[in-house]
Amino acid sequence: MKTIGLLGGMSWESTVPYYQEINRLVNERLGGHHSAKIILHSVDFDEIVQLQHAGDWDAMAEILADVAESLQRAGAQLLVICTNTMHKVAPQIQQRVELPLVHIADATAEAIKPSGIKTVGLLGTRFTMEQDFYKGRLEDRHDLTVIVPEQADREIVHRVIYDELCQGKVLDASRDEYRRIVASIVDRGAQGVILGCSEIGLLIGDRTVSVPTFDTTAIHARAAAEYALA
């Protein structure tokens, strides 16, 4: 079993299920008292949030690449960035380490394929929904058509993530808004919805909307566990 390096803390609320899910899957596969070999570095998310909204992606890439190097020195054999948005700087991180990186967009696309779905909605931070590093990867590498909410709804999705979910607040009013937004992108042709921020699974899932949902946290954690056990 390989040792997994988790680059977490963005937010810590969403890093917790990574740790739980990876260990659960390893135990299911190996039985007994087995658990995953994990090295976790959890950053101070406030520093990252400030840089995100300042648009200083170079500074964020430097911080996370330093963390990745520390995980490599500590003995990690593969790298998992426990957030969708910060995969924007995955190329810079990979330039600094020799570890294979389990990319969240690739893992999500592979999880979608058995369903036969070709057109998916994407919810996430404004950065994830609007920039090409994630949506473009799904379209160019995996031949998916990706629909994002209209601008006003993107602002709602983004605000709820940062002001509520990242701080452990799960509100019924926001769940209703997310359900409305999902319905709007289903009306535009989405056959399923990617929960493209690690915290969104705290708010909605298959039982709360009319189409299949793909929880990237659970998908990514499963991919990491499978890679470690391969």
Side-chain angles (χ1 to χ4, degrees):
M1 176 169 37
K2 298 179 182 68
T3 299
I4 302 169
L6 294 183
L7 207 168
M10 298 170 284
S11 67
W12 69 264
E13 289 280 352
S14 63
T15 302
V16 171
Y18 268 94
Y19 185 81
Q20 292 175 323
E21 185 70 2
I22 290 170
N23 277 293
R24 184 186 67 79
L25 289 164
V26 168
N27 182 258
E28 280 185 4
R29 183 76 63 83
L30 300 182
H33 297 289
H34 284 288
S35 57
K37 295 179 180 179
I38 291 174
I39 303 168
L40 167 63
H41 187 125
S42 187
V43 303
D44 179 1
F45 191 35
D46 188 72
E47 296 175 6
I48 302 297
V49 170
Q50 299 302 321
L51 291 169
Q52 284 177 340
H53 289 93
D56 195 346
W57 295 96
D58 288 340
M60 285 179 277
E62 186 69 19
I63 290 169
L64 298 189
D66 285 347
V67 171
E69 286 185 333
S70 74
L71 290 168
Q72 181 171 263
R73 289 193 299 271
Q77 295 169 287
L78 64 140
L79 186 64
V80 176
I81 305 171
C82 302
T83 160
N84 287 268
T85 297
M86 294 313 299
H87 277 72
K88 179 175 172 67
V89 299
Q92 295 95 310
I93 293 171
Q94 287 186 286
Q95 288 175 0
R96 292 267 299 273
V97 296
E98 298 174 0
L99 304 179
L101 184 144
V102 181
H103 198 289
I104 197 167
D106 295 339
T108 300
E110 290 300 320
I112 291 170
K113 285 178 182 178
S115 71
I117 288 172
K118 290 295 186 180
T119 302
V120 289
L122 173 62
L123 302 181
T125 66
R126 187 172 65 246
F127 316 111
T128 299
M129 291 186 289
E130 295 178 355
Q131 298 182 23
D132 199 48
F133 71 94
Y134 197 98
K135 181 174 178 284
R137 191 177 183 104
L138 292 172
E139 292 176 333
D140 297 340
R141 296 197 179 197
H142 300 284
D143 199 29
L144 292 170
T145 299
V146 181
I147 300 173
V148 298
E150 302 291 352
Q151 183 174 352
D153 286 342
R154 293 199 300 270
E155 293 299 325
I156 293 170
V157 172
H158 183 88
R159 177 189 59 76
V160 168
I161 289 169
Y162 280 93
D163 295 350
E164 298 174 18
L165 298 178
C166 285
Q167 299 178 42
K169 301 174 185 177
V170 181
L171 306 181
D172 288 339
S174 296
R175 179 177 290 109
D176 290 341
E177 281 286 79
Y178 268 50
R179 291 177 70 181
R180 177 189 62 77
I181 292 166
V182 168
S184 74
I185 56 179
V186 169
D187 287 344
R188 291 165 54 203
Q191 301 164 293
V193 177
I194 296 171
L195 309 184
C197 179
S198 305
E199 290 84 6
I200 294 178
L202 301 171
L203 197 63
I204 61 171
D206 283 349
R207 295 182 180 180
T208 52
V209 298
S210 63
V211 294
T213 60
F214 299 92
D215 184 339
T216 56
T217 298
I219 290 168
H220 201 203
R222 182 167 60 250
E226 290 172 351
Y227 195 106
L229 292 170

